């Protein structure tokens, strides 16, 4: 019997594994976006779900939280579970359906690499509960806001994406400015010790998570990422440009009414 008859597919197994991972990332991110939209119908300020995940893959929802002081770890409880019931609702939110969907995505590893599953910030619950960070309703705006905190006149970001069985990897190339100038972003593989980047390394990690999610979701990739060519790049492969939302200039001395 020939080798071709022994193998049901001629596609290399590593390519099949990469396809499986990409499909899982897309599906689970889409489910997470749907969960976030439903939660925010009841609680527009919601940013985190407090959950427990048991060895049986059962999920328990303990609370819904918002952030009162961004970046300072100050949180406000929007909803807390009062008791166990078969059919429980929180205004327009069907909590039973929510827990069921959480049980579909949390036991698997697809979401863990995006940084959306975090330790409970309270020490007494650190080993027993997790917080699920709800994605931004507008990832492009969140990326633009983050970049412009470090490069105020940034107009777009040029980067590349690589996909394999480990998921989506993001490589940064440059920031383009409103003046037409560009700022190169050192490659962490080529220059791992470089401190010349436009923002700290932890910001690179945060941006890579958001950009990877944009790329993983086909409807967002088609809407926000444009293929482009950079003949000066030292790397091979397709480059993509993310143009930031237009920002009204701040008028010096303007008054607000």
């Amino acid at each position: 019997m020939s080798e071709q008859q022994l193998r049901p597919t001629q596609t290399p197994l590593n390519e099949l594994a990469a396809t499986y991972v990409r499909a899982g990332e897309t599906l689970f991110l889409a489910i997470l976006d749907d969960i976030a939209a439903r939660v925010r119908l009841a609680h527009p300020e919601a940013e985190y779900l407090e959950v427990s995940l048991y060895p049986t893959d059962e999920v328990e929802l303990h609370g819904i939280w918002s952030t009162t002081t961004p970046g300072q770890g100050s949180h406000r409880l929007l909803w807390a579970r009062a008791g166990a019931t078969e059919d429980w609702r929180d205004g327009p939110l069907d909590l039973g359906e929510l827990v069921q969907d959480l049980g579909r995505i949390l036991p698997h590893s697809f979401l863990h690499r995006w940084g959306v599953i975090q330790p409970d910030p309270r020490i007494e619950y650190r080993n027993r509960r997790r917080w699920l960070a709800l994605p931004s309703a507008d990832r492009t705006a969140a990326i633009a806001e983050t970049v412009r905190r470090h490069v105020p006149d940034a107009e777009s970001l040029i980067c590349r994406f690589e996909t394999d069985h480990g998921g989506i990897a993001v490589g940064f190339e440059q920031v383009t400015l409103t003046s037409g100038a560009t700022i190169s972003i050192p490659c962490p593989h080529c220059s791992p010790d470089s401190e010349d980047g436009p923002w700290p390394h932890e910001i690179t990690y945060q941006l890579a998570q958001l950009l990877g999610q944009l790329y993983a979701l086909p409807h967002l990739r088609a809407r926000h990422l444009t293929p482009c060519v950079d003949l000066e790049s030292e790397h091979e492969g397709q480059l993509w440009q993310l143009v930031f939302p237009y920002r009204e200039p701040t008028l010096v001395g303007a008054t607000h009414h």
Side-chain angles (χ1 to χ4, degrees), residues 183-239:
I183 298 177
S184 297
I185 305 174
C187 172
H189 297 292
C190 303
S191 307
D193 299 323
S194 175
E195 299 292 340
D196 296 332
W199 46 70
H201 292 302
E202 61 268 20
I203 299 300
T204 297
Y205 183 68
Q206 294 174 17
L207 291 172
Q209 291 177 338
L210 290 170
L211 285 162
Q213 293 174 36
L214 274 181
Y215 188 82
L217 293 164
H219 63 291
L220 296 183
R221 181 171 66 226
R223 186 185 308 165
H224 298 295
L225 292 172
T226 304
C228 62
V229 176
D230 181 5
L231 300 179
E232 297 181 358
S233 174
E234 298 178 358
H235 304 93
E236 297 180 356
Q238 179 67 61
L239 292 176

Side-chain angles (χ1 to χ4, degrees), residues 49-54 60-65 77 79-82 88 120 122 128-130:
L49 302 183
E50 179 189 352
V51 299
S52 289
L53 176 62
Y54 300 103
E60 184 176 0
L61 176 65
H62 299 284
I64 300 174
W65 295 79
L77 182 63
W79 172 89
R81 183 175 182 181
W88 33 303
D120 194 304
R122 298 162 299 175
R128 291 181 288 156
R129 298 182 183 181
R130 293 290 181 268

Side-chain angles (χ1 to χ4, degrees), residues 48-220:
Y48 299 96
L49 302 183
E50 179 189 352
V51 299
S52 289
L53 176 62
Y54 300 103
T56 58
D57 289 345
E58 180 184 356
V59 173
E60 184 176 0
L61 176 65
H62 299 284
I64 300 174
W65 295 79
S66 70
T67 300
T68 58
T69 309
Q72 296 186 17
S74 179
H75 302 98
R76 180 164 63 93
L77 182 63
L78 303 175
W79 172 89
R81 183 175 182 181
T85 59
E86 291 296 325
D87 184 18
W88 33 303
R89 300 189 66 87
D90 177 28
L93 182 61
D94 186 326
L95 293 165
E97 181 181 60
L98 174 62
V99 170
Q100 184 178 24
D101 286 341
L102 289 171
R104 295 172 61 190
I105 63 175
L106 290 181
H108 303 278
S109 62
F110 291 112
L111 290 179
H112 288 264
R113 66 183 307 273
W114 299 120
V116 298
I117 300 176
Q118 305 171 4
D120 194 304
R122 298 162 299 175
I123 296 177
E124 63 270 28
Y125 295 116
R126 183 65 56 90
N127 296 325
R128 291 181 288 156
R129 298 182 183 181
R130 293 290 181 268
W131 279 31
L132 175 65
L134 299 179
S136 170
D138 188 338
R139 290 180 175 89
T140 300
I143 293 169
E145 180 183 0
T146 300
V147 170
R148 283 171 172 162
R149 282 201 297 266
H150 302 273
V151 187
D153 55 343
E155 184 175 66
S156 72
L157 184 63
I158 295 177
C159 53
R160 66 183 66 252
F161 301 90
E162 297 180 6
T163 60
D164 57 23
H165 62 277
I168 298 171
V170 181
F172 294 87
E173 288 290 327
Q174 61 187 27
V175 178
T176 64
L177 309 180
T178 54
S179 64
T182 61
I183 298 177
S184 297
I185 305 174
C187 172
H189 297 292
C190 303
S191 307
D193 299 323
S194 175
E195 299 292 340
D196 296 332
W199 46 70
H201 292 302
E202 61 268 20
I203 299 300
T204 297
Y205 183 68
Q206 294 174 17
L207 291 172
Q209 291 177 338
L210 290 170
L211 285 162
Q213 293 174 36
L214 274 181
Y215 188 82
L217 293 164
H219 63 291
L220 296 183

